[in-house]
Amino acid sequence: VQLQASGGGLVRTGDSLRLSCAVSGVRLDFDAVAWFRQAPGEEREAIGCINTRIDHTWYLNAVKGRFTISKNFAKNTVYLEMNNLVPEDTAVYYCAATLPPCVTVAKVYEHWGQGTQVTVSS
């Protein structure tokens, strides 16, 4: 199983970005795919997850209402749509996969993408 995250970049406060997590080696219809982020000097934190089997999502309060996770089975890809970005969202963003249900503990996830940098300037 391989995950490849992409779509990061340098944006300004209030801008939007869409990150992609392309999954290969397994069908995406029975997975928990989570997005984590890690800012410099801080621990990796879960910001959202989708249980693709039942199409249920979970979000960290800090991003709820601004970030949306979706899936495309045909492309075997999970997306993280990020709106109204603020400097506090600056981090390396990772996607990770495991069997359902969604959990927030990073060590539970067996498969990880390589990370994509998101930088939000003020």
Side-chain angles (χ1 to χ4, degrees), residues 40-95:
E42 300 195 12
E43 292 188 358
R44 194 170 297 190
E45 67 174 351
I47 59 168
C49 183
I50 184 167
N51 181 329
T52 62
R53 184 171 66 89
I54 59 175
D55 202 21
H56 176 261
T57 54
W58 167 87
Y59 299 97
L60 183 71
N61 282 340
V63 306
K64 195 176 295 184
R66 299 189 298 125
F67 291 10
T68 302
I69 297 175
S70 62
K71 67 188 185 305
N72 184 320
F73 284 146
K75 296 185 177 181
N76 229 43
T77 299
V78 171
Y79 301 99
L80 176 65
E81 184 78 33
M82 305 186 293
N83 297 313
N84 195 21
L85 285 161
V86 296
E88 291 73 24
D89 295 319
T90 295
V92 178
Y93 283 70
Y94 301 87
C95 57

Side-chain angles (χ1 to χ4, degrees), residues 98-112:
T98 187
L99 291 174
C102 284
V103 295
T104 60
V105 179
K107 66 181 180 181
V108 171
Y109 290 81
E110 301 98 334
H111 310 290
W112 289 82

Side-chain angles (χ1 to χ4, degrees), residues 7 11-18 66 81-85:
V11 297
R12 296 180 178 180
T13 297
D15 284 350
S16 298
L17 273 177
R18 188 178 78 161
R66 299 189 298 125
E81 184 78 33
M82 305 186 293
N83 297 313
N84 195 21
L85 285 161

